[in-house]
Amino acid sequence: MSEIFIILVLGLVSGLASGLFGIGGAVIIVPLLVSVFNYPQKMAQGTTLLMFIIAPSILAGIQYYKAGNANVKTAVFLWIGVFIGAAVGAWLVNSVFKDSPIFTMVLKKSFSVIMIIMAVKMWFS
């Protein structure tokens, strides 16, 4: 029961961060599922992607749109790219590199490096 409560709080914090900063699943939930709940990297990513099937960001996006802080045309083109890219990426992880422990390690390390680079870039911009 306590694990369910912690996961619910994690979702709440991620949702709050998503609404405040435009971040959430990958930046908050994946690292915590890996480090706190000991999920394998692929399991954390898949769980987070399942969470977005019914996109909770729709509500936050509507609020940003109403305030004049969303570009619908850009969002549509981003969505098309993400739709195709996510399908290809998921296929690569789960089919091509399915049983590769080396790829799993590279995936986890790459995720960390990308987050560090983005954080440093934002800090100094």
Side-chain angles (χ1 to χ4, degrees), residues 34-118:
V34 170
S35 63
V36 175
F37 294 99
N38 297 315
Y39 275 47
Q41 182 72 25
K42 291 180 191 177
M43 180 70 72
Q45 290 173 195
T47 300
T48 302
L49 288 168
L50 277 177
M51 173 194 70
F52 282 113
I53 286 176
I54 301 173
S57 58
I58 289 172
L59 296 175
I62 289 170
Q63 292 299 318
Y64 275 88
Y65 177 76
K66 285 180 179 179
N69 292 318
N71 184 312
V72 175
K73 182 179 175 183
T74 299
V76 168
F77 285 110
L78 284 169
W79 183 88
I80 292 168
V82 167
F83 184 82
I84 295 167
V88 171
W91 174 75
L92 286 170
V93 167
N94 293 299
S95 298
V96 176
F97 301 113
K98 181 179 177 181
D99 298 317
S100 171
I102 293 172
F103 178 76
T104 300
M105 180 195 62
V106 169
L107 185 68
K108 188 175 182 180
K109 304 256 186 238
S110 298
F111 183 88
S112 301
V113 169
I114 289 167
M115 288 183 55
I116 290 167
I117 290 169
M118 294 309 295

